[in-house]
Protein backbone atom coordinates (compact mmCIF):
# COMPACT_ATOMS: atom_id res chain seq x y z
CA UNK A 1 0.00 0.00 0.00
CA UNK A 2 1.36 3.40 -1.01
CA UNK A 3 1.59 6.20 1.54
CA UNK A 4 -0.31 8.62 -0.69
CA UNK A 5 -2.52 7.74 -3.65
CA UNK A 6 -4.26 10.31 -5.85
CA UNK A 7 -6.54 9.28 -8.69
CA UNK A 8 -8.10 11.67 -11.22
CA UNK A 9 -7.64 14.85 -9.19
CA UNK A 10 -8.89 18.23 -10.43
CA UNK A 11 -8.77 21.47 -8.43
CA UNK A 12 -10.71 24.71 -8.67
CA UNK A 13 -10.60 28.31 -7.50
CA UNK A 14 -14.23 29.23 -7.99
CA UNK A 15 -14.95 28.71 -11.69
CA UNK A 16 -11.26 28.55 -12.60
CA UNK A 17 -9.81 25.06 -12.98
CA UNK A 18 -6.19 24.89 -11.82
CA UNK A 19 -5.45 21.15 -11.99
CA UNK A 20 -6.64 18.58 -14.50
CA UNK A 21 -7.07 14.82 -13.94
CA UNK A 22 -3.86 14.17 -12.02
CA UNK A 23 -2.82 10.67 -10.97
CA UNK A 24 -0.12 10.48 -8.35
CA UNK A 25 1.47 7.86 -6.11
CA UNK A 26 3.99 8.30 -3.34
CA UNK A 27 5.72 5.67 -1.21
CA UNK A 28 6.65 5.97 2.44
CA UNK A 29 10.21 7.24 2.93
CA UNK A 30 10.43 8.91 -0.49
CA UNK A 31 11.47 12.45 -1.27
CA UNK A 32 9.39 13.41 -4.25
CA UNK A 33 9.54 16.65 -6.25
CA UNK A 34 6.75 18.40 -8.14
CA UNK A 35 8.48 20.84 -10.46
CA UNK A 36 7.42 23.38 -13.05
CA UNK A 37 7.36 27.05 -13.87
CA UNK A 38 5.53 29.68 -11.85
CA UNK A 39 1.79 29.14 -12.25
CA UNK A 40 2.09 25.49 -13.28
CA UNK A 41 -0.05 24.32 -10.35
CA UNK A 42 2.60 23.07 -7.93
CA UNK A 43 1.35 24.96 -4.86
CA UNK A 44 -2.25 24.15 -5.71
CA UNK A 45 -1.41 20.46 -5.77
CA UNK A 46 0.03 20.60 -2.26
CA UNK A 47 -3.01 22.54 -1.07
CA UNK A 48 -5.37 19.88 -2.40
CA UNK A 49 -3.67 17.29 -0.21
CA UNK A 50 -3.98 19.48 2.88
CA UNK A 51 -7.65 20.32 2.27
CA UNK A 52 -7.15 23.99 1.38
CA UNK A 53 -8.53 23.96 -2.20
CA UNK A 54 -11.83 22.76 -3.69
CA UNK A 55 -11.26 19.46 -5.45
CA UNK A 56 -12.93 16.79 -7.51
CA UNK A 57 -11.17 13.46 -7.08
CA UNK A 58 -11.94 9.78 -7.48
CA UNK A 59 -9.48 8.73 -4.75
CA UNK A 60 -7.33 10.73 -2.33
CA UNK A 61 -5.95 8.24 0.17
CA UNK A 62 -3.32 8.53 2.89
CA UNK A 63 -2.21 5.20 4.35
CA UNK A 64 -5.24 3.64 2.71
CA UNK A 65 -7.67 6.06 4.38
CA UNK A 66 -9.66 8.54 2.29
CA UNK A 67 -8.80 12.13 3.25
CA UNK A 68 -10.86 13.88 0.58
CA UNK A 69 -13.20 16.31 2.28
CA UNK A 70 -11.39 16.33 5.62
CA UNK A 71 -10.50 19.63 7.25
CA UNK A 72 -6.91 20.87 7.21
CA UNK A 73 -6.71 20.38 11.00
CA UNK A 74 -7.84 16.76 10.72
CA UNK A 75 -5.30 16.09 7.97
CA UNK A 76 -2.49 17.46 10.17
CA UNK A 77 -3.73 15.17 12.91
CA UNK A 78 -3.28 12.18 10.60
CA UNK A 79 0.40 13.00 10.15
CA UNK A 80 0.68 15.40 7.19
CA UNK A 81 2.25 18.82 7.84
CA UNK A 82 2.86 21.64 5.37
CA UNK A 83 5.50 24.36 5.14
CA UNK A 84 3.75 26.95 2.94
CA UNK A 85 5.29 29.15 0.29
CA UNK A 86 6.82 32.24 1.89
CA UNK A 87 7.07 30.44 5.28
CA UNK A 88 3.96 32.24 6.67
CA UNK A 89 5.14 32.60 10.25
CA UNK A 90 2.80 34.21 12.77
CA UNK A 91 4.17 37.78 12.72
CA UNK A 92 3.10 38.68 16.27
CA UNK A 93 4.82 35.59 17.73
CA UNK A 94 8.49 34.97 18.40
CA UNK A 95 10.45 31.95 17.18
CA UNK A 96 9.64 29.72 20.12
CA UNK A 97 5.96 30.64 20.09
CA UNK A 98 5.79 29.88 16.36
CA UNK A 99 7.36 26.48 17.01
CA UNK A 100 4.91 25.72 19.80
CA UNK A 101 2.00 26.52 17.50
CA UNK A 102 3.11 23.60 15.35
CA UNK A 103 2.48 21.26 18.26
CA UNK A 104 -1.09 22.46 18.79
CA UNK A 105 -2.56 19.21 17.42
CA UNK A 106 0.05 16.74 18.60
CA UNK A 107 0.55 13.17 17.56
CA UNK A 108 2.74 10.67 19.37
CA UNK A 109 6.38 11.23 18.51
CA UNK A 110 9.71 12.53 19.72
CA UNK A 111 9.93 16.05 18.29
CA UNK A 112 10.33 18.58 21.09
CA UNK A 113 11.65 22.13 21.31
CA UNK A 114 15.03 20.80 22.40
CA UNK A 115 15.24 18.55 19.34
CA UNK A 116 14.25 21.39 17.03
CA UNK A 117 16.98 23.59 18.49
CA UNK A 118 19.44 20.73 18.12
CA UNK A 119 18.51 20.47 14.45
CA UNK A 120 18.56 24.26 13.94
CA UNK A 121 21.17 25.65 16.40
CA UNK A 122 20.96 29.06 14.72
CA UNK A 123 17.49 29.47 16.26
CA UNK A 124 18.62 29.05 19.86
CA UNK A 125 19.79 32.65 20.25
CA UNK A 126 16.82 33.87 18.18
CA UNK A 127 14.14 32.08 20.18
CA UNK A 128 12.65 35.33 21.59
CA UNK A 129 12.91 37.27 18.31
CA UNK A 130 9.67 38.03 16.41
CA UNK A 131 9.21 36.12 13.18
CA UNK A 132 9.20 39.34 11.16
CA UNK A 133 12.74 40.17 12.37
CA UNK A 134 14.30 36.94 11.11
CA UNK A 135 16.32 36.46 7.96
CA UNK A 136 14.84 34.38 5.14
CA UNK A 137 16.91 31.38 6.14
CA UNK A 138 15.92 31.67 9.81
CA UNK A 139 12.28 31.96 8.82
CA UNK A 140 12.54 28.79 6.73
CA UNK A 141 14.20 26.92 9.61
CA UNK A 142 11.43 28.07 11.94
CA UNK A 143 8.74 27.04 9.46
CA UNK A 144 10.26 23.57 9.05
CA UNK A 145 10.65 23.27 12.82
CA UNK A 146 7.02 24.28 13.30
CA UNK A 147 5.97 21.52 10.90
CA UNK A 148 8.11 18.97 12.76
CA UNK A 149 6.47 19.93 16.05
CA UNK A 150 3.25 18.44 14.66
CA UNK A 151 5.22 15.16 14.63
CA UNK A 152 4.33 14.32 11.03
CA UNK A 153 5.07 11.26 8.96
CA UNK A 154 4.98 13.38 5.82
CA UNK A 155 5.94 17.02 5.19
CA UNK A 156 4.84 19.08 2.20
CA UNK A 157 7.39 21.80 1.37
CA UNK A 158 6.18 24.59 -0.90
CA UNK A 159 9.01 26.46 -2.67
CA UNK A 160 11.60 26.00 0.13
CA UNK A 161 14.28 27.83 -1.91
CA UNK A 162 12.16 30.95 -2.49
CA UNK A 163 14.06 34.13 -1.64
CA UNK A 164 17.08 32.36 -0.17
CA UNK A 165 20.75 32.71 -1.09
CA UNK A 166 22.25 29.64 -2.82
CA UNK A 167 24.25 28.63 0.27
CA UNK A 168 21.11 28.69 2.43
CA UNK A 169 19.16 26.73 -0.20
CA UNK A 170 21.83 24.02 -0.05
CA UNK A 171 21.64 24.03 3.76
CA UNK A 172 17.83 23.65 3.78
CA UNK A 173 17.94 20.78 1.30
CA UNK A 174 20.71 19.09 3.30
CA UNK A 175 18.40 19.22 6.31
CA UNK A 176 15.58 17.73 4.24
CA UNK A 177 17.88 14.89 3.20
CA UNK A 178 18.99 14.33 6.80
CA UNK A 179 15.40 14.18 8.06
CA UNK A 180 14.47 11.80 5.28
CA UNK A 181 17.38 9.43 5.79
CA UNK A 182 17.80 9.48 9.58
CA UNK A 183 14.25 10.19 10.77
CA UNK A 184 12.23 8.51 8.02
CA UNK A 185 10.24 11.65 7.19
CA UNK A 186 8.61 11.52 3.76
CA UNK A 187 8.87 14.76 1.77
CA UNK A 188 6.82 16.15 -1.08
CA UNK A 189 8.49 19.25 -2.55
CA UNK A 190 6.96 21.84 -4.84
CA UNK A 191 9.91 23.68 -6.32
CA UNK A 192 10.89 25.95 -9.20
CA UNK A 193 14.58 25.27 -8.59
CA UNK A 194 14.55 22.16 -10.76
CA UNK A 195 18.25 21.42 -10.45
CA UNK A 196 18.18 21.43 -6.65
CA UNK A 197 14.89 19.53 -6.41
CA UNK A 198 16.04 16.72 -8.71
CA UNK A 199 19.39 16.54 -6.93
CA UNK A 200 17.73 15.59 -3.64
CA UNK A 201 14.52 13.86 -4.76
CA UNK A 202 14.00 10.18 -5.56
CA UNK A 203 11.22 10.78 -8.07
CA UNK A 204 9.78 13.78 -9.89
CA UNK A 205 6.61 14.99 -11.55
CA UNK A 206 6.66 17.90 -14.00
CA UNK A 207 3.55 20.07 -14.05
CA UNK A 208 2.61 22.47 -16.81
CA UNK A 209 -0.66 24.39 -16.98
CA UNK A 210 -2.14 22.16 -14.31
CA UNK A 211 -1.30 18.87 -16.01
CA UNK A 212 1.44 16.28 -15.46
CA UNK A 213 3.52 16.28 -18.65
CA UNK A 214 6.31 13.97 -17.49
CA UNK A 215 7.33 11.90 -14.48
CA UNK A 216 10.14 9.53 -13.63
CA UNK A 217 13.14 8.84 -11.43
CA UNK A 218 14.90 12.06 -10.52
CA UNK A 219 18.19 10.91 -12.05
CA UNK A 220 16.46 10.09 -15.34
CA UNK A 221 14.73 13.46 -15.41
CA UNK A 222 18.03 15.27 -14.80
CA UNK A 223 19.50 13.48 -17.83
CA UNK A 224 16.48 14.05 -20.08
CA UNK A 225 17.28 16.44 -22.92
CA UNK A 226 13.87 18.15 -22.79
CA UNK A 227 14.12 18.74 -19.06
CA UNK A 228 17.62 20.12 -19.49
CA UNK A 229 16.37 22.51 -22.16
CA UNK A 230 13.12 23.66 -20.59
CA UNK A 231 13.97 23.68 -16.89
CA UNK A 232 17.74 23.50 -16.40
CA UNK A 233 18.73 25.95 -19.12
CA UNK A 234 21.09 23.48 -20.76
CA UNK A 235 20.71 23.23 -24.53
CA UNK A 236 22.31 20.50 -26.62
CA UNK A 237 23.99 21.35 -29.90
CA UNK A 238 24.32 24.93 -31.11
CA UNK A 239 23.25 27.75 -28.85
CA UNK A 240 19.78 29.04 -29.78
CA UNK A 241 18.70 32.66 -29.93
CA UNK A 242 15.98 33.78 -27.53
CA UNK A 243 13.46 33.70 -30.39
CA UNK A 244 14.49 30.15 -31.31
CA UNK A 245 14.21 29.02 -27.69
CA UNK A 246 10.67 30.38 -27.41
CA UNK A 247 9.71 28.55 -30.59
CA UNK A 248 11.39 25.40 -29.32
CA UNK A 249 9.54 25.58 -26.03
CA UNK A 250 6.21 25.85 -27.81
CA UNK A 251 6.93 22.61 -29.69
CA UNK A 252 6.67 20.54 -26.50
CA UNK A 253 8.39 17.44 -27.82
CA UNK A 254 7.18 15.40 -24.84
CA UNK A 255 3.53 16.16 -25.68
CA UNK A 256 3.86 15.19 -29.35
Amino acid sequence: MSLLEVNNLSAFYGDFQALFNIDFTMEEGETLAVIGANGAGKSTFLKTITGLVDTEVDDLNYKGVSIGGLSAADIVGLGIAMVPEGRRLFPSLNVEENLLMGGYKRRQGHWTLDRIYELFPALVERRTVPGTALSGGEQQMTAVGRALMARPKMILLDEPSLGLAPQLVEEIFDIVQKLNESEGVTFLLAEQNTNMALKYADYGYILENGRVVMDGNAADLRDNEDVKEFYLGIASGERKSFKDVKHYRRRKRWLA
Side-chain angles (χ1 to χ4, degrees):
M1 180 179 63
S2 298
L3 180 66
L4 182 68
E5 296 180 3
V6 178
N7 182 28
N8 197 28
L9 170 71
S10 297
F12 302 84
Y13 293 99
D15 294 331
F16 175 74
Q17 186 168 357
L19 297 177
F20 298 82
N21 311 114
I22 290 179
D23 296 320
F24 188 91
T25 301
M26 189 169 185
E27 305 301 327
E28 188 168 349
E30 271 191 317
T31 294
L32 194 149
V34 178
I35 58 180
N38 187 35
K42 305 184 301 298
S43 295
T44 297
F45 180 70
L46 267 59
K47 290 175 182 177
T48 64
I49 297 171
T50 51
L52 298 175
V53 177
D54 291 334
T55 60
E56 291 180 1
V57 62
D58 290 345
D59 296 295
L60 177 54
N61 298 326
Y62 174 71
K63 292 185 175 180
V65 176
S66 176
I67 61 173
L70 293 183
S71 69
D74 287 337
I75 290 172
V76 172
L78 290 174
I80 301 176
M82 184 169 177
V83 179
E85 180 180 350
R87 278 75 79 176
R88 303 290 180 87
L89 300 183
F90 297 99
S92 62
L93 303 182
N94 63 32
V95 167
E96 190 154 302
E97 290 166 338
N98 267 282
L99 293 174
L100 289 172
M101 285 298 294
Y104 172 72
K105 197 174 180 76
R106 286 181 178 273
R107 302 169 61 252
Q108 289 186 348
H110 54 256
W111 287 103
T112 63
L113 279 175
D114 287 342
R115 290 212 68 219
I116 299 300
Y117 289 136
E118 181 182 344
L119 181 65
F120 300 112
L123 297 181
V124 175
E125 294 183 0
R126 309 287 279 168
R127 60 201 306 166
T128 61
V129 174
T132 53
L134 302 175
S135 68
E138 291 167 343
Q139 288 183 22
Q140 189 64 276
M141 293 174 192
T142 303
V144 172
R146 180 179 61 187
L148 288 170
M149 286 291 289
R151 299 171 179 173
K153 188 64 180 176
M154 178 180 182
I155 293 181
L156 282 53
L157 273 175
D158 195 358
E159 302 285 4
S161 71
L162 184 67
L164 300 184
Q167 181 178 350
L168 287 174
V169 172
E170 192 85 37
E171 183 177 346
I172 292 296
F173 274 92
D174 282 343
I175 290 169
V176 167
Q177 185 176 49
K178 176 182 177 180
L179 289 170
N180 174 254
E181 293 178 350
S182 64
E183 302 290 343
V185 179
T186 302
F187 281 94
L188 177 57
L189 312 172
E191 183 58 74
Q192 283 191 66
N193 188 333
T194 303
N195 187 51
M196 189 62 66
L198 293 180
K199 176 181 176 182
Y200 285 86
D202 302 304
Y203 200 87
Y205 285 78
I206 298 177
L207 280 183
E208 187 164 302
N209 297 324
R211 293 177 170 85
V212 175
V213 295
M214 182 180 289
D215 67 279
N217 293 324
D220 294 336
L221 292 178
R222 284 199 307 270
D223 293 336
N224 183 280
E225 292 300 323
D226 290 324
V227 175
K228 288 180 181 180
E229 179 73 14
F230 301 146
Y231 294 103
L232 300 180
I234 303 171
S236 60
E238 296 181 2
R239 183 181 297 273
K240 298 177 176 66
S241 69
F242 181 67
K243 180 179 178 181
D244 290 337
V245 169
K246 287 197 296 183
H247 175 73
Y248 180 74
R249 287 171 183 265
R250 286 196 295 267
R251 285 172 52 203
K252 305 299 182 202
R253 284 208 307 263
W254 55 50
L255 295 179

